[in-house]
Amino acid sequence: MHVMIIGAAGMIGRKLAERIAETGCIGGQIVCELTLVDVVEPDVAGGFDGMRKVLAADLSKPGVAARLVANRPDVIVHLAAVVSGEAEADLEKGYRINLDGTRALLEAIRSIEKYVPRVIYASSLAVFGAPFPSKIPDDYHLTPLTSYGTQKAIGELMLNDYSRRGLLDGVGIRFPTICIRPGVPNKAASGFFSGILREPLNGKEAVLPVDETVRHWFASPRSAVGYIEHAATMDTASLGAQRNMTMPGVSATVAEQIDALRLTAGDAAVALIRRAPDPDITSIVAGWPQDFDTARALKMGFRAEKSFREIIEVYLEDEMGTPAPSDGAPPQAPQHLRDAQDVTP
Amino acid sequence: MHVMIIGAAGMIGRKLAERIAETGCIGGQIVCELTLVDVVEPDVAGGFDGMRKVLAADLSKPGVAARLVANRPDVIVHLAAVVSGEAEADLEKGYRINLDGTRALLEAIRSIEKYVPRVIYASSLAVFGAPFPSKIPDDYHLTPLTSYGTQKAIGELMLNDYSRRGLLDGVGIRFPTICIRPGVPNKAASGFFSGILREPLNGKEAVLPVDETVRHWFASPRSAVGYIEHAATMDTASLGAQRNMTMPGVSATVAEQIDALRLTAGDAAVALIRRAPDPDITSIVAGWPQDFDTARALKMGFRAEKSFREIIEVYLEDEMGTPAPSDGAPPQAPQHLRDAQDVTP
């Protein structure tokens, strides 16, 4: 099986490539060829035994999409996108990358005869817009309130149309907010959801700009990769004409995030969270969804964590090298935090 | 006020132009300039006193949209589209005219500084797809099952996004099936809804290819023009970010259509309907919506007929020159039908 990841330099793309390199498989199928594409040349996935190609290419440029799909990958994972803030600041760039880029990919696939690849499309909760019901169902109307959400909703509609016409076999994945994101703090409005856990787990101070009552929808990077692995080989027949689904996740308040941190890493870690209310971020986050009914995705076999504690444990295992204990007990926080906790009365 | 109609050679565009020529107004505002655009040169609107321009232009061709909006029309009525059957048969043409053409118009408007025209966008019930609730609300999810519906839904999303960003002031109108369409029978799957009334009213036989229990959503051509007139000058502030609405109409079965025909034109007219069940048309129409909750559009001041009898009366008045009686009684059917009826025992 030949897998192509477009947007392979991003966090999820990189982790997916590493996972394929490590297992040699995707969704139970052997991967003999892996093509990694991004606007900058993505990292090679070390340790992969099959054929591997790394390409720097911009999908929205003329001819690029056709070149990419010319050797007919079986699974195309389309993660390439301009993110929310940038799509709002730069209308032209957002529509060019998120709409034209996606359409160019679908059209390039269409132009090849008898070629119907599985296309996994990274969509977003941003296709929905406030006001929301307490739990947002899969069939809630598309009312994006950002250009990014608009472009993602348009991509969903095209994915449905091209799939319905038998031109490709699409699965659209609406990712929860991924938490805990590894790496350094970023400027994204959602950055604090990861920051208030990641920074304390690494012994650093983190800023909390919103109230602890704020509720949102989360899954780990490991789950994000898991959605794609499942989507790569799932039976799509029962999806019918509606190819896009909100992925399962954990609905949690900031207070619940902090409680989970306390259970895992103790009060010393929690003490590293500094409250610094930010009206701008508070106002942005107030428009975000809080909870979803993902019965459809669950029925289709997609899985995620069941609690925020699990999400933190995934971070400890995958990013801090703390192995899961064999007795099924949760992994422990890093030594420096346990040391700090030991001296706390 | 300068009004531009793009797609002015179509049935609704032509009627709208005639109406503006006749009244000199749109939505209570004086029209001093009228620009009519279509891929073929549209008919001039006779009798219009203001400045009038007629242009043959394809919105999806490079530079055309910019030329059209260069002298800043206050109201742009965008009716230009490839219809359902053609968009399904020719994917490229459908996306080019219905998606690229609409986007070119929005982009051309955006490129002019300090220019925020009212843009009235012709959308469609086809943005919705089965399965349907018994009455489809305005916030039902967008699940088109045709490429035409997909393209119209994408246009709705872009209209919302460009309006939200203050680049234009959009109103999206989801037209009911327009009935009774004047003119000759056409090959559209929906053609019989008009045909079974129009042909008998003109003394001709009509074919009914579906069961009488089939229910659908209708309004007259006069209402279609009325929606646009209202949308041209309505206060859009209360629309917020959701600029698209299903227009009010009449939900009626074929049996109810025929009853209304009987009441207006008698048994002789009804006898001209020949049953010829067509499995293909029956199957297409089975996927169509039957009834809508249009509370939002009604609240915004949009109006339509309240019964099928009214829809037939509009046809008699507007297309057959039968004036409405001054006593408020319905207009009578044409003489030849009344003659025929007189000889029926």
Side-chain angles (χ1 to χ4, degrees):
Chain A
M1 185 171 254
H2 176 189
V3 176
M4 174 181 280
I5 306 173
I6 304 173
M11 190 261 287
I12 295 173
R14 223 174 48 239
K15 282 189 177 289
L16 175 63
E18 281 164 10
R19 170 93 177 147
I20 293 171
E22 186 187 306
T23 62
C25 287
I26 192 165
Q29 298 276 319
I30 290 168
V31 176
C32 53
E33 194 174 348
L34 180 60
T35 305
L36 305 179
V37 185
D38 210 309
V39 284
V40 295
E41 204 166 283
D43 291 345
V44 295
F48 180 63
D49 288 333
M51 207 197 315
R52 189 181 50 211
K53 218 178 338 186
V54 176
L55 298 168
D58 179 345
L59 200 56
S60 69
K61 296 268 164 70
V64 169
R67 260 201 327 275
L68 290 181
V69 302
N71 64 343
R72 307 161 73 107
D74 303 289
V75 175
I76 299 174
V77 183
H78 177 30
L79 301 168
V82 163
V83 297
S84 188
E86 194 172 4
E88 200 62 23
D90 187 341
L91 181 142
E92 279 171 44
K93 188 172 180 185
Y95 274 89
R96 180 169 63 79
I97 304 291
N98 295 348
L99 171 48
D100 296 332
T102 299
R103 190 164 162 210
L105 176 62
L106 305 190
E107 278 291 278
I109 293 166
R110 182 173 77 89
S111 72
I112 303 180
E113 273 191 48
K114 293 183 186 164
Y115 172 52
V116 185
R118 176 68 49 93
V119 176
I120 301 170
Y121 173 65
S123 190
S124 167
L125 308 180
V127 299
F128 302 116
F132 296 120
S134 59
K135 257 172 140 43
I136 303 170
D138 237 32
D139 58 2
Y140 195 62
H141 58 150
L142 297 177
T143 53
L145 295 176
T146 59
S147 290
Y148 175 76
T150 301
Q151 292 144 12
K152 285 293 170 188
I154 291 172
E156 287 195 359
L157 287 163
M158 293 193 301
L159 192 79
N160 281 339
D161 195 36
Y162 278 63
S163 296
R164 184 187 60 80
R165 294 182 78 122
L167 300 168
L168 49 83
D169 184 11
V171 181
I173 286 178
R174 295 183 194 128
F175 285 99
T177 288
I178 300 305
C179 195
I180 302 171
R181 288 185 75 92
V184 293
N186 65 24
K187 300 258 180 201
S190 61
F192 71 88
F193 285 123
S194 283
I196 58 168
L197 306 170
R198 182 189 58 237
E199 300 307 304
L201 286 170
N202 288 283
K204 294 178 191 158
E205 189 186 87
V207 168
L208 173 60
V210 304
D211 200 83
E212 290 193 15
T213 57
V214 164
R215 178 179 285 283
H216 194 48
W217 186 247
F218 303 99
S220 74
R222 193 196 284 174
S223 288
V225 170
Y227 305 145
I228 298 171
E229 291 182 277
H230 182 65
T233 58
M234 69 183 281
D235 180 5
T236 54
S238 53
L239 286 179
Q242 307 308 331
R243 297 302 185 117
N244 304 282
M245 282 161 286
T246 305
M247 290 294 111
V250 175
S251 173
T253 61
V254 169
E256 285 162 4
Q257 286 191 290
I258 295 173
D259 286 346
L261 178 66
R262 184 177 286 110
L263 281 168
T264 318
D267 289 328
V270 173
L272 288 166
I273 301 173
R274 184 167 59 83
R275 271 77 177 163
D278 181 322
D280 289 345
I281 294 182
T282 298
S283 141
I284 292 171
V285 172
W288 289 359
Q290 304 190 341
D291 199 358
F292 289 86
D293 175 355
T294 60
R296 188 157 177 255
L298 287 167
K299 197 177 154 201
M300 294 292 162
F302 291 96
R303 293 292 175 265
E305 289 76 22
K306 290 195 166 49
S307 71
F308 219 94
R309 183 121 190 237
E310 269 188 71
I311 289 180
I312 293 179
E313 286 160 19
V314 167
Y315 179 80
L316 295 177
E317 286 176 25
D318 290 358
E319 307 295 337
M320 303 189 77
T322 312
S326 55
D327 61 357
Q332 283 197 291
Q335 191 61 44
H336 70 90
L337 281 173
R338 276 182 285 137
D339 291 347
Q341 212 175 342
D342 288 342
V343 297
T344 307
Chain B
M1 185 171 257
H2 175 189
V3 176
M4 173 181 281
I5 306 173
I6 304 173
M11 189 261 285
I12 295 174
R14 222 174 48 240
K15 283 190 176 287
L16 175 63
E18 281 163 11
R19 170 93 179 146
I20 293 171
E22 186 186 305
T23 62
C25 287
I26 191 165
Q29 299 275 319
I30 291 166
V31 177
C32 53
E33 193 174 347
L34 180 60
T35 306
L36 306 179
V37 185
D38 210 309
V39 285
V40 295
E41 204 166 284
D43 291 345
V44 296
F48 181 63
D49 288 334
M51 205 195 319
R52 188 181 51 211
K53 216 177 341 185
V54 176
L55 298 167
D58 178 345
L59 199 56
S60 68
K61 296 267 165 71
V64 168
R67 259 199 331 274
L68 289 181
V69 302
N71 64 343
R72 308 162 74 105
D74 302 290
V75 175
I76 299 174
V77 183
H78 177 29
L79 301 168
V82 164
V83 296
S84 188
E86 194 172 4
E88 201 62 21
D90 186 343
L91 181 143
E92 279 171 44
K93 188 173 180 186
Y95 275 90
R96 180 168 63 79
I97 304 291
N98 296 347
L99 171 48
D100 296 331
T102 299
R103 190 163 161 210
L105 176 63
L106 305 190
E107 278 290 281
I109 292 166
R110 182 174 76 89
S111 72
I112 302 179
E113 273 191 50
K114 292 183 185 162
Y115 172 52
V116 185
R118 175 68 47 93
V119 176
I120 301 169
Y121 173 65
S123 189
S124 167
L125 307 180
V127 299
F128 301 116
F132 296 121
S134 59
K135 259 172 137 45
I136 303 171
D138 236 32
D139 58 2
Y140 195 62
H141 59 148
L142 298 177
T143 54
L145 296 175
T146 59
S147 290
Y148 175 77
T150 301
Q151 292 144 12
K152 285 293 172 188
I154 291 173
E156 287 196 359
L157 286 163
M158 292 193 301
L159 192 80
N160 280 340
D161 195 36
Y162 278 63
S163 295
R164 184 187 60 80
R165 295 181 77 124
L167 300 168
L168 49 84
D169 184 10
V171 181
I173 286 178
R174 295 183 194 127
F175 286 98
T177 288
I178 300 305
C179 194
I180 302 172
R181 288 185 74 93
V184 293
N186 64 25
K187 299 256 178 200
S190 62
F192 72 88
F193 285 124
S194 284
I196 58 169
L197 306 170
R198 182 190 58 237
E199 300 307 303
L201 286 170
N202 288 283
K204 296 178 190 157
E205 189 186 85
V207 168
L208 174 60
V210 304
D211 200 82
E212 289 194 16
T213 58
V214 164
R215 178 179 285 283
H216 194 48
W217 186 249
F218 303 98
S220 73
R222 192 196 284 175
S223 288
V225 170
Y227 306 144
I228 298 170
E229 292 183 275
H230 182 65
T233 58
M234 69 183 280
D235 180 4
T236 53
S238 53
L239 287 178
Q242 307 308 330
R243 297 300 185 119
N244 304 283
M245 282 162 287
T246 305
M247 290 294 110
V250 175
S251 173
T253 61
V254 169
E256 287 163 3
Q257 287 191 290
I258 294 173
D259 285 346
L261 177 66
R262 183 177 287 110
L263 280 168
T264 319
D267 289 327
V270 171
L272 288 166
I273 301 173
R274 184 165 61 83
R275 271 79 177 161
D278 181 321
D280 289 344
I281 294 183
T282 299
S283 142
I284 292 171
V285 172
W288 289 359
Q290 304 191 343
D291 199 359
F292 289 86
D293 174 357
T294 60
R296 188 155 176 256
L298 288 167
K299 196 177 154 199
M300 295 291 162
F302 290 96
R303 293 291 176 267
E305 289 76 21
K306 290 194 169 49
S307 71
F308 219 94
R309 183 121 190 234
E310 269 186 72
I311 288 178
I312 293 179
E313 286 161 18
V314 168
Y315 179 80
L316 294 177
E317 287 177 25
D318 290 359
E319 307 295 337
M320 303 190 75
T322 312
S326 55
D327 62 359
Q332 283 195 290
Q335 192 59 45
H336 69 90
L337 282 172
R338 275 181 288 137
D339 290 348
Q341 211 176 344
D342 287 344
V343 297
T344 309

